[in-house]
Structures are given as structure tokens and as C-alpha cells.
Amino acid sequence: MIFRAERAISSADGSVRWVIADESYTIHTEGCAYLAGLRQADRSPNTERVYAGRVALYLTYCVQSGMVWNRPGFFELGRFAQWLISKPLPPKGARSTAVRFRSKKTANAVLTTVFEFLRFGSVHGWVPQEVVAQLSEPKYLSFLPPGYEPGEQDEFRTVQARTIKFTVGDEGVEWLQDVQVEQLLELLQRARDRFLVALLRCTGMRIGEGLGLRREDMHFLTRSITANCQVVGPHVHVRRRLNPNGALAKSPFSRWIPVTEQVVDLYADYQHERARVPEAAETDMVFVNLFRAPLGRPMTYPNTKDMFDRLARRAGFQARPHMLRHSAATSWLRSGVQPDVAQHLLGHVSPSSMQPYLHATDRDKREAVEAGAARRREAR
């Protein structure tokens, strides 16, 4: 038996939901209840989709290995963890013959969802408490992460840590230097694509947020009072809403982000290009198909990924939409923008999300090494 994450459309309001079902489309009651809990907590539909696939993977493993899903032992969960990284994945394409495996980082993400699912089941009486108790253990933090408050009497130094987790190295943050972004803009021949790259770099928004923009979100005048907006200066609004292309803002909180004169100019160029395609007038979505059928249809993530893949090959270096988000965050913090301001611009809920960007600059590291060498010379 194999469980799968299935997309379901609500007959009441047309909203997209995810369910977990087997080959005969029999619903897994507890798994679907967990997904409903995610919706009630206002988690993103994209999060629901990913979590549905992870829980379905776990349930399939349980059936095929003979493990009872709601009563797994500690060593059984350990075998599941090893299975995650040792089972070959299907080839990426029909012509591909390369053998692929899940990374330990991906396996950890699956385990996190499965453990959350089991804890959810414990709250509702489906999973024994002793099962949940084996998922974590107390850990004393000898070294505190930046910004962590231990409490007046170090009462917050002891936290609950996962008992089953792979150790993975810090891959760091991949970002593009300004000269690389300029190179990308020079390589792009289409105004729409130039505007997309510049917008992502300027605002740091996620690609789903960019593809979900409506023309009513683009307030590029000095004042936008006619649009009932009191924000002064050119800016763009990011709002979570259901979009025909499936693009979605991850955060439920709306925000606005200032834009530069370059972005405004590139948007004007794009509007001239878009006006030459009559089908584009049928939608309010900002980014639409102008050069391939179906013309005027909102751009999707696969279309955008193809564009960035082609661009990266021409540029000779990696160039992904999320790298532009990292570029914006890194640039803001290095220029002296306060972390809480950058956090709001990026739409992060937790301040800890800013930690990957709080790294020393190349100049900082070079000066530190040179200062250390100077101190050693003086000591001689």
C-alpha cells in the first residue's frame, strides 16, 4: 500500500486543500486531521502540501515495513531515519540514469514533520504519551546562540532537543554580489524578465510573492492617495491571496516594501512590452506569459525556474530567485539596516530567521586577520 498527498478542491469556496489517501483513494483520517490542524493554524497551503507528502511517506514506510504508525519504537524510528537517506529516489527525468538520494538535511525536515504529526496525534489520543516522550530529551545550552535570552537564573538554558536527528554542516547563505546582478540584467533581453530580477533583488520578496503580485499592488508614484494608500514614495504591497497560478505569499501578514528608481523605470519598460500582447489585458496579475502559449496566462514557478536556469547557464554562475532574496537581506544588514527592520521587509515572523544573514563581511575578516598578525609582530 502506498499513501500519497492528493490535491482537493473545496466545493464550497473553491479553495485548495490537501488530503492523504491510499491507491483506492481511501482517506487516512488522522493524517487528514493533522493537515486540517495546519489550516486552522493559518499555515500556508504550500506548507500543507509539503507536510502532506512527508506524512504520506511515513505512513507508506510503516505499511511496507510492518511498523504501526501510531506506536513506533525508538529504534524503529531510527531505522526509518536511515531508510530516508539510503533509499534511492526516482530519476529526475525520463532520460536520467543518475542515482539520487535524500540529503541528511532533507531527512531531518521529514523527521521534524513526522514528529510533529505524532505529537498532534498524542494530543488527540491516537498516539500513546510514551511514544512522544521518546522523541526529545532535555539539553543544556552551554553556548547560547546570538540574541538568545537565558533568563535571570538560566532557567531557559535547558531546552528539549530531538533524540533522532542527523548532524549536518552549515551550508551558509548563497547570495549574489551587485556586479553579478548587473550582469544578469545585461544578459536579459526581455523587459519583463529584467523587471522581475530587479524587483526580487530590490525587495527581497520570495518568488511566490513576486508571481502573486497584482497590478493594484504596484504603487510606483510619489504618492498613492488615489489608491487609498497613505505610504509615501514608490513601493509594492505583498498580500496573501489565492492566485490562479498557485503563487502564494507565505506570511499571512501584509506588508509594503520601498522600491528604487531603477525598479520603477524597468516596470515602465515592461508595461510597454506587455501592451503589445492583447491577451495580457485579461488579467490583473503582474507577471504573465508574453512569448509562449497560453499568452496572457499568469506566469508559474516552473516557467520562472526555466528562465533562471537558462540565465544561469549564460552567466556562468548559479542564479536562483531565492539567491536574490538573500542578496537583499545581506545588503541591508551590511549597510547598517537594523535586523528588526530587515525582518519586517523580508516578512519573517521570527527574529531568529535573520541569523543566517548576520555574518562578517570579507573586509571584516581580512581586517581581523591583519590585526592579529600585527599583534603577533608587536609581541616579538
Side-chain angles (χ1 to χ4, degrees):
M1 180 184 297
I2 297 177
F3 286 94
R4 294 187 178 89
E6 298 287 349
R7 188 171 181 263
I9 307 297
S10 171
S11 58
D13 56 9
S15 61
V16 176
R17 301 181 180 181
W18 290 87
V19 297
I20 299 173
D22 60 19
E23 300 103 321
S24 62
Y25 293 98
T26 300
I27 296 295
H28 190 277
T29 305
E30 295 84 356
C32 292
Y34 169 65
L35 298 179
L38 295 177
R39 289 194 295 275
Q40 292 173 359
D42 203 22
R43 303 291 285 274
S44 163
N46 289 336
T47 298
E48 182 183 341
R49 171 182 58 81
V50 173
Y51 283 24
R54 293 172 182 173
V55 173
L57 179 65
Y58 169 70
L59 295 173
T60 299
Y61 172 84
C62 290
V63 171
Q64 295 178 350
S65 67
M67 186 171 77
V68 181
W69 76 266
N70 60 342
R71 294 178 179 273
F74 179 81
F75 294 105
E76 288 178 314
L77 288 172
R79 284 193 290 271
F80 170 63
Q82 291 298 324
W83 176 84
L84 286 173
I85 61 174
S86 61
K87 179 178 174 56
L89 297 173
K92 270 193 172 183
R95 298 181 180 179
S96 176
T97 59
V99 179
R100 302 184 303 122
F101 297 90
R102 286 186 191 85
S103 67
K104 291 183 177 180
K105 182 178 179 180
T106 301
N108 279 340
V110 174
L111 291 171
T112 296
T113 302
V114 169
F115 287 6
E116 184 178 320
F117 170 52
L118 293 174
R119 291 191 178 94
F120 179 88
S122 177
V123 171
H124 291 79
W126 308 324
V127 178
Q129 183 58 41
E130 56 266 25
V131 171
V132 175
Q134 66 185 348
L135 302 181
S136 60
E137 60 184 0
K139 178 182 180 181
Y140 181 80
L141 299 178
S142 300
F143 301 96
L144 298 178
Y148 186 87
E149 178 55 55
E152 294 183 359
Q153 299 179 347
D154 284 348
E155 61 268 27
F156 301 133
R157 276 187 176 269
T158 301
V159 297
Q160 292 295 315
R162 287 241 306 267
T163 53
I164 301 176
K165 181 180 180 180
F166 292 106
T167 300
V168 295
D170 183 5
E171 298 178 356
V173 172
E174 292 184 296
W175 55 285
L176 297 172
Q177 298 179 10
D178 289 343
V179 64
Q180 292 178 300
V181 176
E182 290 300 322
Q183 183 176 346
L184 296 180
L185 293 175
E186 291 175 2
L187 289 172
L188 290 167
Q189 302 299 315
R190 296 167 176 171
R192 180 200 63 189
D193 299 342
R194 285 197 300 271
F195 171 63
L196 175 59
V197 169
L199 180 69
L200 295 179
R201 170 58 182 86
C202 173
T203 63
M205 66 175 64
R206 302 175 178 89
I207 184 59
E209 296 171 335
L211 295 180
L213 290 172
R214 309 287 179 94
R215 285 196 279 186
E216 65 189 63
D217 300 325
M218 319 304 285
H219 293 181
F220 285 174
L221 299 177
T222 303
R223 292 185 177 274
S224 303
I225 298 178
T226 56
N228 296 321
C229 177
Q230 302 302 317
V231 179
V232 177
H235 62 280
V236 58
H237 287 270
V238 178
R239 302 180 175 95
R240 178 189 282 190
R241 52 165 75 96
L242 295 177
N243 293 306
N245 58 355
L248 186 74
K250 183 176 181 180
S251 173
F253 305 104
S254 299
R255 69 188 192 276
W256 63 269
I257 311 171
V259 298
T260 61
E261 184 178 345
Q262 179 195 36
V263 170
V264 176
D265 290 342
L266 290 175
Y267 183 65
D269 294 341
Y270 170 40
Q271 292 310 296
H272 289 300
E273 183 179 74
R274 174 175 172 146
R276 294 197 291 267
V277 181
E279 294 87 347
E282 300 176 5
T283 179
D284 188 45
M285 303 297 293
V286 171
F287 294 102
V288 296
N289 292 345
L290 301 180
F291 311 100
R292 64 172 66 175
L295 294 176
R297 188 75 60 84
M299 284 181 65
T300 62
Y301 181 75
N303 298 145
T304 310
K305 183 179 183 302
D306 288 343
M307 185 272 284
F308 271 90
D309 288 344
R310 293 193 302 269
L311 180 59
R313 286 194 293 269
R314 294 177 62 194
F317 53 80
Q318 288 291 325
R320 298 185 297 276
H322 210 69
M323 294 175 70
L324 296 170
R325 176 172 169 82
H326 291 322
S327 300
T330 300
S331 176
W332 291 335
L333 293 173
R334 288 187 171 185
S335 64
V337 174
Q338 293 300 311
D340 60 332
V341 176
Q343 175 189 338
H344 180 78
L345 290 171
L346 292 170
H348 281 309
V349 176
S350 172
S352 62
S353 300
M354 300 305 300
Q355 291 302 322
Y357 309 109
L358 298 175
H359 50 267
T361 66
D362 296 338
R363 180 177 179 180
D364 293 335
K365 291 180 283 188
R366 186 177 298 107
E367 289 179 350
V369 171
E370 292 174 351
R375 286 195 296 270
R376 288 193 296 272
R377 287 194 298 271
E378 292 176 358
R380 294 171 185 170

